[in-house]
Amino acid sequence: MRGVLNGLVAETARTTIVDLEAGLEHLSRGTARHVDTLLIVGEPYFKSLETASRSFALARDLGIERIGMVANKVRTPRDEAAVREFADRHGLVVEGVVPFDDAVQAADEHGAALIDYRPAAPSVAAIRRLADGVLAAGR
C-alpha cells in the first residue's frame, strides 16, 4: 500500500481517498507518509471508540496535520452524542455522521455496492455530504 500511495503522490497532485482496514497497522507501517487528512471512523460502542483513540494518538505522533472523525452506524441521538463527546474529549471535529442503514447489509447480501443497489439510501446521502464537505474544504 505504501508503494502505491507513494506512486500516486509522485504522479499527481489530485485528491486520493483510501479506505483502509480498521486498526493501527497501516499507520504504524508508514502508509500515512503523504497523508494530510485522516478521517477515523468510530461507531458508538466502547470497543470502537477505544480503537479510534489509539488511532488518533498514533496519527498525531506521525504528524498528520488534520485528523477528523466520522460517526458511523448511528441509530439514535444518544449514539451520536456518545461519539461527539468522545471527539470533544480528544479535540477532534466530527466531520460527518452516517446513520445505521439496513440497506448496507441488503446490498452486501446481493453482492452489490450500496450506491448501485440503493442510491437513495440515507447512508449514501450522508457519505456524499461528508465527501463534498471534505473536498470543498480542500483537504
Side-chain angles (χ1 to χ4, degrees), residues 1-2 5 20-33 38 40 51-52 54-56 58-59 62 64:
M1 179 61 72
R2 182 177 44 219
L5 290 176
L20 299 173
E21 186 176 329
L24 304 174
E25 181 178 346
H26 293 290
L27 291 174
S28 64
R29 289 187 176 211
T31 306
R33 188 162 139 213
L38 179 68
I40 297 178
T51 300
R54 289 191 304 272
S55 297
F56 286 126
L58 182 55
L62 292 171
I64 296 175

PDB file of all heavy atoms in Angstrom, residues 1-2 5 20-33 38 40 51-52 54-56 58-59 62 64:
ATOM      1  N   MET A   1       0.818  -1.183   0.000  1.00  0.00           N
ATOM      2  CA  MET A   1       0.000   0.000   0.000  1.00  0.00           C
ATOM      3  C   MET A   1       0.869   1.257   0.000  1.00  0.00           C
ATOM      4  O   MET A   1       0.585   2.208  -0.704  1.00  0.00           O
ATOM      5  CB  MET A   1      -0.933  -0.030   1.209  1.00  0.00           C
ATOM      6  CG  MET A   1      -1.821   1.182   1.313  1.00  0.00           C
ATOM      7  SD  MET A   1      -2.946   1.450  -0.054  1.00  0.00           S
ATOM      8  CE  MET A   1      -4.119   0.163   0.211  1.00  0.00           C
ATOM      9  N   ARG A   2       1.933   1.231   0.783  1.00  0.00           N
ATOM     10  CA  ARG A   2       2.814   2.397   0.847  1.00  0.00           C
ATOM     11  C   ARG A   2       3.377   2.710  -0.537  1.00  0.00           C
ATOM     12  O   ARG A   2       3.432   3.861  -0.948  1.00  0.00           O
ATOM     13  CB  ARG A   2       3.931   2.146   1.854  1.00  0.00           C
ATOM     14  CG  ARG A   2       4.853   3.325   2.022  1.00  0.00           C
ATOM     15  CD  ARG A   2       5.916   3.097   3.086  1.00  0.00           C
ATOM     16  NE  ARG A   2       6.492   1.777   2.973  1.00  0.00           N
ATOM     17  CZ  ARG A   2       6.819   1.017   4.018  1.00  0.00           C
ATOM     18  NH1 ARG A   2       6.644   1.445   5.222  1.00  0.00           N
ATOM     19  NH2 ARG A   2       7.345  -0.164   3.830  1.00  0.00           N
ATOM     20  N   LEU A   5       0.668   4.339  -2.757  1.00  0.00           N
ATOM     21  CA  LEU A   5       0.436   5.732  -2.379  1.00  0.00           C
ATOM     22  C   LEU A   5       1.606   6.621  -2.770  1.00  0.00           C
ATOM     23  O   LEU A   5       1.407   7.739  -3.253  1.00  0.00           O
ATOM     24  CB  LEU A   5       0.165   5.839  -0.879  1.00  0.00           C
ATOM     25  CG  LEU A   5      -1.171   5.262  -0.426  1.00  0.00           C
ATOM     26  CD1 LEU A   5      -1.287   5.333   1.089  1.00  0.00           C
ATOM     27  CD2 LEU A   5      -2.333   5.973  -1.083  1.00  0.00           C
ATOM     28  N   LEU A  20      -8.984   2.282   4.328  1.00  0.00           N
ATOM     29  CA  LEU A  20      -8.109   1.267   4.893  1.00  0.00           C
ATOM     30  C   LEU A  20      -8.842   0.414   5.917  1.00  0.00           C
ATOM     31  O   LEU A  20      -9.786   0.867   6.561  1.00  0.00           O
ATOM     32  CB  LEU A  20      -6.895   1.934   5.548  1.00  0.00           C
ATOM     33  CG  LEU A  20      -6.014   2.765   4.616  1.00  0.00           C
ATOM     34  CD1 LEU A  20      -4.958   3.499   5.416  1.00  0.00           C
ATOM     35  CD2 LEU A  20      -5.376   1.884   3.566  1.00  0.00           C
ATOM     36  N   GLU A  21      -8.364  -0.771   6.075  1.00  0.00           N
ATOM     37  CA  GLU A  21      -8.887  -1.695   7.079  1.00  0.00           C
ATOM     38  C   GLU A  21      -8.751  -1.071   8.467  1.00  0.00           C
ATOM     39  O   GLU A  21      -7.803  -0.344   8.749  1.00  0.00           O
ATOM     40  CB  GLU A  21      -8.063  -2.978   6.996  1.00  0.00           C
ATOM     41  CG  GLU A  21      -8.549  -4.098   7.851  1.00  0.00           C
ATOM     42  CD  GLU A  21      -7.714  -5.351   7.627  1.00  0.00           C
ATOM     43  OE1 GLU A  21      -7.210  -5.560   6.507  1.00  0.00           O
ATOM     44  OE2 GLU A  21      -7.563  -6.100   8.601  1.00  0.00           O
ATOM     45  N   ALA A  22      -9.711  -1.362   9.319  1.00  0.00           N
ATOM     46  CA  ALA A  22      -9.670  -0.831  10.680  1.00  0.00           C
ATOM     47  C   ALA A  22      -8.418  -1.313  11.407  1.00  0.00           C
ATOM     48  O   ALA A  22      -7.927  -2.409  11.159  1.00  0.00           O
ATOM     49  CB  ALA A  22     -10.911  -1.270  11.450  1.00  0.00           C
ATOM     50  N   GLY A  23      -7.907  -0.474  12.271  1.00  0.00           N
ATOM     51  CA  GLY A  23      -6.746  -0.850  13.064  1.00  0.00           C
ATOM     52  C   GLY A  23      -5.581   0.075  12.832  1.00  0.00           C
ATOM     53  O   GLY A  23      -5.647   1.030  12.066  1.00  0.00           O
ATOM     54  N   LEU A  24      -4.491  -0.219  13.499  1.00  0.00           N
ATOM     55  CA  LEU A  24      -3.332   0.663  13.513  1.00  0.00           C
ATOM     56  C   LEU A  24      -2.231   0.250  12.539  1.00  0.00           C
ATOM     57  O   LEU A  24      -1.276   0.998  12.334  1.00  0.00           O
ATOM     58  CB  LEU A  24      -2.748   0.708  14.926  1.00  0.00           C
ATOM     59  CG  LEU A  24      -3.728   1.135  16.022  1.00  0.00           C
ATOM     60  CD1 LEU A  24      -3.069   0.983  17.387  1.00  0.00           C
ATOM     61  CD2 LEU A  24      -4.180   2.548  15.805  1.00  0.00           C
ATOM     62  N   GLU A  25      -2.337  -0.926  11.961  1.00  0.00           N
ATOM     63  CA  GLU A  25      -1.239  -1.458  11.156  1.00  0.00           C
ATOM     64  C   GLU A  25      -0.838  -0.523  10.020  1.00  0.00           C
ATOM     65  O   GLU A  25       0.347  -0.283   9.792  1.00  0.00           O
ATOM     66  CB  GLU A  25      -1.618  -2.824  10.584  1.00  0.00           C
ATOM     67  CG  GLU A  25      -0.504  -3.436   9.766  1.00  0.00           C
ATOM     68  CD  GLU A  25      -0.857  -4.804   9.230  1.00  0.00           C
ATOM     69  OE1 GLU A  25      -1.843  -5.408   9.688  1.00  0.00           O
ATOM     70  OE2 GLU A  25      -0.139  -5.267   8.341  1.00  0.00           O
ATOM     71  N   HIS A  26      -1.801   0.028   9.300  1.00  0.00           N
ATOM     72  CA  HIS A  26      -1.465   0.887   8.165  1.00  0.00           C
ATOM     73  C   HIS A  26      -0.726   2.144   8.617  1.00  0.00           C
ATOM     74  O   HIS A  26       0.228   2.582   7.967  1.00  0.00           O
ATOM     75  CB  HIS A  26      -2.723   1.275   7.387  1.00  0.00           C
ATOM     76  CG  HIS A  26      -3.357   0.118   6.710  1.00  0.00           C
ATOM     77  ND1 HIS A  26      -2.783  -0.513   5.637  1.00  0.00           N
ATOM     78  CD2 HIS A  26      -4.497  -0.556   6.971  1.00  0.00           C
ATOM     79  CE1 HIS A  26      -3.547  -1.519   5.252  1.00  0.00           C
ATOM     80  NE2 HIS A  26      -4.593  -1.561   6.052  1.00  0.00           N
ATOM     81  N   LEU A  27      -1.139   2.698   9.733  1.00  0.00           N
ATOM     82  CA  LEU A  27      -0.457   3.893  10.233  1.00  0.00           C
ATOM     83  C   LEU A  27       0.949   3.559  10.711  1.00  0.00           C
ATOM     84  O   LEU A  27       1.896   4.287  10.430  1.00  0.00           O
ATOM     85  CB  LEU A  27      -1.266   4.517  11.381  1.00  0.00           C
ATOM     86  CG  LEU A  27      -2.592   5.151  11.000  1.00  0.00           C
ATOM     87  CD1 LEU A  27      -3.333   5.594  12.254  1.00  0.00           C
ATOM     88  CD2 LEU A  27      -2.387   6.318  10.058  1.00  0.00           C
ATOM     89  N   SER A  28       1.077   2.457  11.431  1.00  0.00           N
ATOM     90  CA  SER A  28       2.377   2.117  12.001  1.00  0.00           C
ATOM     91  C   SER A  28       3.384   1.665  10.949  1.00  0.00           C
ATOM     92  O   SER A  28       4.583   1.714  11.188  1.00  0.00           O
ATOM     93  CB  SER A  28       2.225   1.051  13.090  1.00  0.00           C
ATOM     94  OG  SER A  28       1.733  -0.149  12.542  1.00  0.00           O
ATOM     95  N   ARG A  29       2.933   1.264   9.784  1.00  0.00           N
ATOM     96  CA  ARG A  29       3.847   0.806   8.726  1.00  0.00           C
ATOM     97  C   ARG A  29       4.242   1.909   7.757  1.00  0.00           C
ATOM     98  O   ARG A  29       4.841   1.647   6.725  1.00  0.00           O
ATOM     99  CB  ARG A  29       3.210  -0.344   7.951  1.00  0.00           C
ATOM    100  CG  ARG A  29       3.147  -1.589   8.776  1.00  0.00           C
ATOM    101  CD  ARG A  29       2.687  -2.740   7.944  1.00  0.00           C
ATOM    102  NE  ARG A  29       2.730  -3.949   8.751  1.00  0.00           N
ATOM    103  CZ  ARG A  29       2.962  -5.127   8.267  1.00  0.00           C
ATOM    104  NH1 ARG A  29       3.167  -5.287   6.987  1.00  0.00           N
ATOM    105  NH2 ARG A  29       2.979  -6.174   9.046  1.00  0.00           N
ATOM    106  N   GLY A  30       3.840   3.130   8.045  1.00  0.00           N
ATOM    107  CA  GLY A  30       4.259   4.244   7.196  1.00  0.00           C
ATOM    108  C   GLY A  30       3.352   4.505   6.016  1.00  0.00           C
ATOM    109  O   GLY A  30       3.688   5.310   5.149  1.00  0.00           O
ATOM    110  N   THR A  31       2.204   3.870   5.967  1.00  0.00           N
ATOM    111  CA  THR A  31       1.271   4.092   4.862  1.00  0.00           C
ATOM    112  C   THR A  31       0.823   5.549   4.827  1.00  0.00           C
ATOM    113  O   THR A  31       0.520   6.085   3.775  1.00  0.00           O
ATOM    114  CB  THR A  31       0.043   3.171   5.016  1.00  0.00           C
ATOM    115  OG1 THR A  31       0.496   1.836   5.137  1.00  0.00           O
ATOM    116  CG2 THR A  31      -0.883   3.269   3.831  1.00  0.00           C
ATOM    117  N   ALA A  32       0.805   6.196   5.972  1.00  0.00           N
ATOM    118  CA  ALA A  32       0.272   7.549   6.082  1.00  0.00           C
ATOM    119  C   ALA A  32       1.315   8.633   5.790  1.00  0.00           C
ATOM    120  O   ALA A  32       1.080   9.802   6.067  1.00  0.00           O
ATOM    121  CB  ALA A  32      -0.300   7.743   7.475  1.00  0.00           C
ATOM    122  N   ARG A  33       2.409   8.285   5.203  1.00  0.00           N
ATOM    123  CA  ARG A  33       3.506   9.226   4.973  1.00  0.00           C
ATOM    124  C   ARG A  33       3.077  10.484   4.224  1.00  0.00           C
ATOM    125  O   ARG A  33       3.510  11.578   4.547  1.00  0.00           O
ATOM    126  CB  ARG A  33       4.621   8.520   4.221  1.00  0.00           C
ATOM    127  CG  ARG A  33       5.872   9.314   4.091  1.00  0.00           C
ATOM    128  CD  ARG A  33       6.993   8.367   3.746  1.00  0.00           C
ATOM    129  NE  ARG A  33       7.847   8.965   2.751  1.00  0.00           N
ATOM    130  CZ  ARG A  33       8.476   8.310   1.828  1.00  0.00           C
ATOM    131  NH1 ARG A  33       8.341   7.009   1.731  1.00  0.00           N
ATOM    132  NH2 ARG A  33       9.265   8.903   0.989  1.00  0.00           N
ATOM    133  N   LEU A  38      -6.777  12.719   7.763  1.00  0.00           N
ATOM    134  CA  LEU A  38      -7.153  11.362   8.123  1.00  0.00           C
ATOM    135  C   LEU A  38      -8.516  11.405   8.801  1.00  0.00           C
ATOM    136  O   LEU A  38      -8.708  12.152   9.758  1.00  0.00           O
ATOM    137  CB  LEU A  38      -6.124  10.749   9.076  1.00  0.00           C
ATOM    138  CG  LEU A  38      -6.419   9.329   9.559  1.00  0.00           C
ATOM    139  CD1 LEU A  38      -6.314   8.334   8.398  1.00  0.00           C
ATOM    140  CD2 LEU A  38      -5.457   8.941  10.671  1.00  0.00           C
ATOM    141  N   ILE A  40     -11.054   9.103  10.801  1.00  0.00           N
ATOM    142  CA  ILE A  40     -11.163   7.829  11.506  1.00  0.00           C
ATOM    143  C   ILE A  40     -12.629   7.590  11.810  1.00  0.00           C
ATOM    144  O   ILE A  40     -13.310   8.460  12.353  1.00  0.00           O
ATOM    145  CB  ILE A  40     -10.306   7.833  12.780  1.00  0.00           C
ATOM    146  CG1 ILE A  40      -8.839   7.984  12.374  1.00  0.00           C
ATOM    147  CG2 ILE A  40     -10.550   6.560  13.592  1.00  0.00           C
ATOM    148  CD1 ILE A  40      -7.873   8.061  13.520  1.00  0.00           C
ATOM    149  N   THR A  51     -10.523   1.887  19.982  1.00  0.00           N
ATOM    150  CA  THR A  51      -9.644   1.738  18.817  1.00  0.00           C
ATOM    151  C   THR A  51      -9.398   3.090  18.166  1.00  0.00           C
ATOM    152  O   THR A  51      -8.278   3.419  17.776  1.00  0.00           O
ATOM    153  CB  THR A  51     -10.244   0.749  17.809  1.00  0.00           C
ATOM    154  OG1 THR A  51     -10.390  -0.522  18.450  1.00  0.00           O
ATOM    155  CG2 THR A  51      -9.375   0.602  16.574  1.00  0.00           C
ATOM    156  N   ALA A  52     -10.453   3.888  18.048  1.00  0.00           N
ATOM    157  CA  ALA A  52     -10.315   5.231  17.470  1.00  0.00           C
ATOM    158  C   ALA A  52      -9.336   6.063  18.291  1.00  0.00           C
ATOM    159  O   ALA A  52      -8.520   6.805  17.732  1.00  0.00           O
ATOM    160  CB  ALA A  52     -11.675   5.909  17.394  1.00  0.00           C
ATOM    161  N   ARG A  54      -6.733   5.070  20.026  1.00  0.00           N
ATOM    162  CA  ARG A  54      -5.360   4.652  19.714  1.00  0.00           C
ATOM    163  C   ARG A  54      -4.946   5.143  18.320  1.00  0.00           C
ATOM    164  O   ARG A  54      -3.811   5.563  18.103  1.00  0.00           O
ATOM    165  CB  ARG A  54      -5.226   3.140  19.822  1.00  0.00           C
ATOM    166  CG  ARG A  54      -5.294   2.639  21.265  1.00  0.00           C
ATOM    167  CD  ARG A  54      -4.904   1.181  21.408  1.00  0.00           C
ATOM    168  NE  ARG A  54      -5.675   0.274  20.588  1.00  0.00           N
ATOM    169  CZ  ARG A  54      -6.823  -0.291  20.945  1.00  0.00           C
ATOM    170  NH1 ARG A  54      -7.340  -0.037  22.132  1.00  0.00           N
ATOM    171  NH2 ARG A  54      -7.451  -1.112  20.136  1.00  0.00           N
ATOM    172  N   SER A  55      -5.870   5.108  17.377  1.00  0.00           N
ATOM    173  CA  SER A  55      -5.584   5.585  16.024  1.00  0.00           C
ATOM    174  C   SER A  55      -5.275   7.079  16.028  1.00  0.00           C
ATOM    175  O   SER A  55      -4.343   7.535  15.363  1.00  0.00           O
ATOM    176  CB  SER A  55      -6.765   5.295  15.096  1.00  0.00           C
ATOM    177  OG  SER A  55      -6.979   3.906  14.977  1.00  0.00           O
ATOM    178  N   PHE A  56      -6.073   7.854  16.768  1.00  0.00           N
ATOM    179  CA  PHE A  56      -5.827   9.292  16.849  1.00  0.00           C
ATOM    180  C   PHE A  56      -4.463   9.587  17.442  1.00  0.00           C
ATOM    181  O   PHE A  56      -3.729  10.434  16.943  1.00  0.00           O
ATOM    182  CB  PHE A  56      -6.916   9.984  17.676  1.00  0.00           C
ATOM    183  CG  PHE A  56      -8.228  10.105  16.956  1.00  0.00           C
ATOM    184  CD1 PHE A  56      -9.382   9.626  17.543  1.00  0.00           C
ATOM    185  CD2 PHE A  56      -8.320  10.709  15.716  1.00  0.00           C
ATOM    186  CE1 PHE A  56     -10.603   9.728  16.889  1.00  0.00           C
ATOM    187  CE2 PHE A  56      -9.533  10.817  15.054  1.00  0.00           C
ATOM    188  CZ  PHE A  56     -10.678  10.331  15.650  1.00  0.00           C
ATOM    189  N   LEU A  58      -1.768   7.717  17.492  1.00  0.00           N
ATOM    190  CA  LEU A  58      -0.709   7.361  16.550  1.00  0.00           C
ATOM    191  C   LEU A  58      -0.651   8.357  15.398  1.00  0.00           C
ATOM    192  O   LEU A  58       0.435   8.779  14.980  1.00  0.00           O
ATOM    193  CB  LEU A  58      -0.915   5.941  16.027  1.00  0.00           C
ATOM    194  CG  LEU A  58       0.135   5.415  15.061  1.00  0.00           C
ATOM    195  CD1 LEU A  58       1.535   5.498  15.655  1.00  0.00           C
ATOM    196  CD2 LEU A  58      -0.184   3.968  14.680  1.00  0.00           C
ATOM    197  N   ALA A  59      -1.797   8.755  14.885  1.00  0.00           N
ATOM    198  CA  ALA A  59      -1.823   9.721  13.784  1.00  0.00           C
ATOM    199  C   ALA A  59      -1.175  11.041  14.197  1.00  0.00           C
ATOM    200  O   ALA A  59      -0.426  11.641  13.424  1.00  0.00           O
ATOM    201  CB  ALA A  59      -3.263   9.946  13.325  1.00  0.00           C
ATOM    202  N   LEU A  62       2.506  10.695  14.266  1.00  0.00           N
ATOM    203  CA  LEU A  62       3.062  10.648  12.915  1.00  0.00           C
ATOM    204  C   LEU A  62       3.050  12.020  12.247  1.00  0.00           C
ATOM    205  O   LEU A  62       3.558  12.169  11.137  1.00  0.00           O
ATOM    206  CB  LEU A  62       2.289   9.643  12.056  1.00  0.00           C
ATOM    207  CG  LEU A  62       2.467   8.180  12.452  1.00  0.00           C
ATOM    208  CD1 LEU A  62       1.489   7.296  11.681  1.00  0.00           C
ATOM    209  CD2 LEU A  62       3.899   7.726  12.211  1.00  0.00           C
ATOM    210  N   ILE A  64       0.349  13.819  11.271  1.00  0.00           N
ATOM    211  CA  ILE A  64      -0.737  14.084  10.327  1.00  0.00           C
ATOM    212  C   ILE A  64      -1.425  15.374  10.758  1.00  0.00           C
ATOM    213  O   ILE A  64      -1.838  15.523  11.912  1.00  0.00           O
ATOM    214  CB  ILE A  64      -1.720  12.898  10.268  1.00  0.00           C
ATOM    215  CG1 ILE A  64      -0.989  11.672   9.714  1.00  0.00           C
ATOM    216  CG2 ILE A  64      -2.934  13.245   9.409  1.00  0.00           C
ATOM    217  CD1 ILE A  64      -1.798  10.398   9.720  1.00  0.00           C
TER     218      ILE A  64
END
